[in-house]
């Protein structure tokens, strides 16, 4: 837990075929060491939005005299940027707070703050429930941190959980803490208006809003100038990106934004996440087809393969619609475009036959990768208010395991397809197995490992793949 984690710390690991995957790892921000007087230790849970927000928080606090540190015991301020997506995510944070309590006993001057989605969901209740917490700040209130910290310095507890309709932190240059110097996140929107019945995000992140196109393009240009080779455009639902200039003369949708970011530099790879099946348009797919530097990878969470369950989930599409969007991807981008999904096992009233539909969708699409979960009821959501969480835990877990097993076979098959072909790989790091090997990803986001020769981080290398472990491609530069 104490080592600094890099942006793509799933490199070298098998694709995430066991739950919980991406949305539950934890990142400790790397040390900045610029000689500032106070030390900030920041740990981030949940999704990439939170990792990206921690970089904004660090930027705001750098102006207040804080350097980030990897040393929890010696920190003046400890911040946990938290996630509420499933009950387990919240339990993890509560357990972490008890560990931090023992550090605070040894270092009584240490201030402890909770940021992010759990802060937003629990608000001032957090201060009552967890005595160790001094500061509770929701995702739209980070600009207020300096003021809140001075309040805490003065001996009071502080809370700001106001959500905003406008805040996008567009003018704040993030301190790149989670980065390997090759790949960076750019937040393009915040919040979500979709109200999927299982999901807490609309309550913790507020209304959907899109960030100024020009500030996004400027951030991409700055990253290129700093030597970055890849950006990932982030939002809960990137396909509904919509921005208009104040004079109303300029209107930009997601396909247009994607194209403009791709045009920043032909040497900059562009990725994006997440696409909602109801919103992904042929225009986006054609834009991807036109630009080699837009990676051929689409995260298109289905959640379920059954139309009745999808309706209960309020996903606003049914299975035929989803299958048609997959067919459009295959039609416009071909079979080489990777597709991944999120699946939820054991949603309210899901029958055995409906669960089989999820398995059959997995077989139909043959996903490259999936994040898979069992349903966890979240207080305040539509499902919690209107539907019974009636699938027994052991049944949820068994169904989840069946989903994982089914997907694992497809992930392996997709890796096997890559053997015997040449892949363009962007080198991101040394392989975790050996310093003699480099590790990177192809356009489809598959991990590729090869002997390093004279190549280095940030290089594009053509690699002839000769074998696969099922979770990574192995080969040699040509
Ligand atoms: N905006 C993204 C999802 C973000 S949350 C989208 O719409 O696809 C990431 C994933 O967590 C979801 O896709 C869903 O599969 C899972 N998830 C969300 N709420 C959940 C819950 N209550 N129980 C189990 N899994 C959940
Ligand atoms: Fe949650 Fe649905 Fe919004 Fe995704 S689109 S964040 S699942 S409400
Ligand atoms: Fe978790 Fe909030 Fe992200 S609930 S998944 S940290 S938007």
């Amino acid at each position: 837990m104490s080592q600094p984690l890099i942006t793509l710390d799933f490199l070298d690991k098998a694709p995430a075929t066991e739950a919980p995957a991406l949305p539950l790892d934890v990142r400790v921000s790397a040390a900045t060491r610029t000689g500032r007087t106070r030390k900030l230790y920041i740990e981030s849970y949940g999704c990439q939005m939170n990792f990206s927000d921690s970089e904004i928080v660090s930027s705001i606090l750098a102006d207040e005299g804080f350097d980030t540190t990897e040393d929890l015991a010696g920190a003046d301020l400890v911040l946990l940027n938290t996630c509420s997506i499933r009950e387990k995510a919240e339990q993890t944070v509560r357990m972490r707070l008890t560990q931090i309590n023992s550090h605070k006993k040894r270092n009584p001057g240490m201030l402890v703050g909770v940021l992010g989605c759990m802060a937003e969901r629990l608000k001032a209740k957090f201060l009552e429930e967890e005595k160790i917490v001094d500061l509770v700040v929701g995702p739209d209130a980070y600009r207020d941190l300096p003021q809140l910290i001075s309040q805490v310095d003065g001996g009071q507890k502080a809370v700001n959980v106001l959500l905003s309709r406008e805040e996008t932190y567009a003018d704040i240059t993030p301190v790149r803490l989670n980065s390997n110097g090759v790949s960076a996140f750019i937040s393009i929107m915040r919040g979500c208006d979709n109200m999927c019945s299982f999901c807490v995000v609309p309550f913790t992140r507020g209304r959907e809003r899109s960030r100024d196109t020009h500030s996004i393009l400027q951030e991409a240009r700055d990253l290129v100038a700093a030597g970055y080779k890849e950006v990932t455009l982030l939002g809960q639902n990137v396909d509904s990106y919509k921005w208009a200039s104040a004079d109303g003369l300029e209107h930009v949708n997601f396909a247009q934004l994607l194209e403009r970011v791709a045009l920043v530099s032909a040497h900059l790879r562009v990725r994006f996440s997440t696409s909602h099946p109801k919103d992904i348009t042929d225009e986006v797919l054609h834009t991807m087809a036109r630009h080699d530097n837009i990676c051929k990878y689409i995260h298109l969470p289905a959640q379920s393969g059954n139309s009745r369950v999808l309706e209960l989930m309020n996903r606003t599409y049914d299975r035929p619609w989803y299958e048609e969007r997959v067919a459009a991807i295959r039609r416009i981008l071909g079979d080489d475009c990777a597709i991944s999904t999120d699946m939820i096992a054991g949603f309210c009233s899901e029958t055995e036959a409906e669960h089989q539909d999820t398995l059959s969708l997995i077989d139909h699409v043959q996903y490259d990768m999936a994040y898979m979960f069992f349903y966890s009821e979240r207080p305040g959501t539509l499902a919690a208010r209107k539907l019974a969480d009636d699938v027994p835990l052991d049944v949820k877990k068994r169904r989840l395991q069946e989903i994982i097993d089914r997907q694992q076979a497809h992930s392996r098959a997709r890796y096997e397809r890559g053997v015997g072909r040449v892949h363009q790989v962007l080198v991101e790091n040394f392989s975790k197995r050996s310093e003699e090997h480099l590790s990177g990803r192809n356009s489809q986001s598959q991990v590729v490992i090869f002997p390093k020769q004279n190549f280095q981080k940030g290089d594009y290398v053509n690699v002839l793949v000769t074998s696969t472990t099922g979770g990574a491609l192995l080969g040699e530069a040509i």
Side-chain angles (χ1 to χ4, degrees):
M1 195 88 95
S2 65
Q3 89 272 28
L5 292 163
I6 48 158
T7 311
L8 298 155
D9 64 347
F10 50 84
L11 283 187
D12 272 18
K13 283 192 214 151
T17 42
E18 51 188 66
L22 180 75
L24 248 190
D25 60 5
V26 49
R27 289 173 196 210
V28 178
S29 294
T32 43
R33 295 195 189 88
T34 55
R36 291 184 173 86
T37 49
R38 298 177 87 182
K39 300 281 172 261
L40 161 68
Y41 175 92
I42 182 163
E43 212 170 76
S44 318
Y45 294 80
C47 65
Q48 291 158 334
M49 296 296 298
N50 259 11
F51 304 145
S52 170
D53 281 359
S54 290
E55 301 186 327
I56 288 168
V57 167
S58 302
S59 174
I60 292 169
L61 292 181
D63 293 341
E64 295 297 303
F66 282 94
D67 258 346
T68 52
T69 175
E70 290 154 31
D71 172 33
L72 168 59
D76 302 302
L77 173 62
V78 174
L79 295 178
L80 299 186
N81 197 354
T82 61
C83 173
S84 288
I85 200 83
R86 283 167 290 276
E87 196 182 350
K88 185 143 179 279
E90 294 202 352
Q91 283 165 353
T92 309
V93 167
R94 293 205 190 254
M95 269 161 50
R96 189 64 176 141
L97 282 171
T98 49
Q99 289 169 353
I100 291 169
N101 208 2
S102 62
H103 287 278
K104 188 164 168 156
K105 287 206 177 103
R106 270 171 264 139
N107 175 5
M110 178 187 274
L111 303 179
V112 179
V114 180
L115 314 178
C117 292
M118 218 176 146
E120 190 61 51
R121 195 177 83 72
L122 292 165
K123 305 187 170 51
K125 251 194 350 210
F126 227 125
L127 297 178
E128 289 158 33
E129 290 175 10
E130 305 283 345
K131 295 287 173 242
I132 181 193
V133 174
D134 302 299
L135 186 69
V136 178
V137 190
D140 285 347
Y142 298 146
R143 281 184 208 268
D144 197 26
L145 270 166
Q147 191 273 120
L148 295 166
I149 289 169
S150 63
Q151 206 173 315
V152 174
D153 282 339
Q156 288 171 280
K157 304 239 169 186
V159 183
N160 186 344
V161 288
L162 285 177
L163 287 171
S164 156
R165 278 172 177 259
E166 288 94 34
E167 181 63 88
T168 59
Y169 301 108
D171 56 318
I172 295 178
T173 307
V175 178
R176 302 285 167 190
L177 296 168
N178 299 306
S179 175
N180 51 9
V182 177
S183 184
F185 299 128
I186 302 183
S187 280
I188 64 164
M189 53 206 297
R190 299 181 72 82
C192 182
D193 285 348
N194 282 326
M195 298 303 273
C196 300
S197 62
F198 52 79
C199 185
V200 78
V201 172
F203 303 95
T204 62
R205 292 262 163 185
R207 298 303 295 270
E208 181 183 289
R209 66 219 94 124
S210 297
R211 179 177 162 190
D212 182 320
T213 302
H214 298 283
S215 79
I216 295 169
L217 294 172
Q218 192 53 48
E219 192 169 334
R221 283 187 219 108
D222 292 345
L223 286 164
V224 170
Y228 282 82
K229 297 290 171 63
E230 182 178 275
V231 293
T232 303
L233 308 180
L234 288 183
Q236 291 299 353
N237 181 6
V238 289
D239 297 272
S240 67
Y241 178 87
K242 198 162 27 122
W243 178 78
S245 59
D247 58 13
L249 294 176
E250 200 183 1
H251 290 261
V252 184
N253 67 17
F254 181 62
Q256 293 158 339
L257 175 74
L258 192 57
E259 178 135 71
R260 287 169 76 168
V261 176
L263 289 170
V264 164
S265 163
H267 302 292
L268 182 71
R269 270 188 177 179
V270 185
R271 298 185 183 276
F272 55 89
S273 185
T274 296
S275 298
H276 195 297
K278 81 175 159 58
D279 293 319
I280 191 165
T281 59
D282 285 1
E283 190 190 358
V284 168
L285 303 177
H286 286 297
T287 305
M288 291 175 75
R290 272 200 305 279
H291 295 275
D292 283 343
N293 61 328
I294 303 180
C295 288
K296 302 302 177 274
Y297 177 102
I298 299 175
H299 186 53
L300 194 71
Q303 313 298 359
S304 165
N306 176 270
S307 293
R308 188 191 74 92
V309 174
L310 287 169
E311 188 171 351
L312 284 180
M313 287 177 164
N314 199 25
R315 288 291 286 181
T316 70
Y317 54 85
D318 56 11
R319 178 164 176 160
W321 172 277
Y322 187 88
E323 287 188 357
E324 193 287 318
R325 289 291 78 205
V326 170
I329 294 170
R330 295 283 172 245
R331 191 164 65 236
I332 296 167
L333 293 163
D335 196 31
D336 279 341
C337 181
I339 305 177
S340 60
T341 187
D342 295 345
M343 291 293 190
I344 298 178
F347 186 65
C348 309
S349 79
E350 183 190 68
T351 66
E352 215 48 50
E354 289 165 342
H355 162 61
Q356 290 297 326
D357 286 344
T358 295
L359 297 178
S360 82
L361 183 66
I362 290 173
D363 288 340
H364 175 80
V365 180
Q366 303 180 23
Y367 293 105
D368 289 76
M369 215 258 289
Y371 299 106
M372 296 157 285
F373 317 95
F374 63 76
Y375 173 58
S376 163
E377 186 178 89
R378 308 312 294 130
T381 55
L382 279 171
R385 282 183 279 139
K386 300 248 159 71
L387 304 169
D389 180 12
D390 54 2
V391 178
L393 186 61
D394 59 330
V395 176
K396 286 181 183 172
K397 287 188 172 169
R398 194 250 306 145
R399 288 182 190 168
L400 173 62
Q401 194 55 50
E402 287 172 10
I403 291 173
I404 291 171
D405 292 344
R406 191 68 64 99
Q407 176 50 36
Q408 205 140 32
H410 292 296
S411 295
R412 172 167 273 282
R414 294 292 288 184
Y415 267 92
E416 277 162 3
R417 279 177 80 245
V419 177
R421 299 197 201 177
V422 175
H423 300 250
Q424 193 198 48
V425 178
L426 172 60
V427 181
E428 291 171 43
N429 247 307
F430 286 110
S431 157
K432 286 193 177 148
R433 287 172 207 138
S434 119
E435 294 265 301
E436 292 307 306
H437 288 75
L438 292 172
S439 167
R441 283 176 301 153
N442 62 13
S443 176
Q444 290 72 22
S445 212
Q446 292 172 315
V447 176
V448 184
I449 298 169
F450 59 98
K452 84 169 188 284
Q453 300 176 17
N454 291 323
F455 296 108
Q456 45 191 329
K457 241 165 66 165
D459 286 348
Y460 285 106
V461 183
N462 287 322
V463 177
L464 173 62
V465 167
T466 50
S467 65
T468 175
T469 63
L473 298 172
L474 310 175
E476 294 224 14
I478 51 161

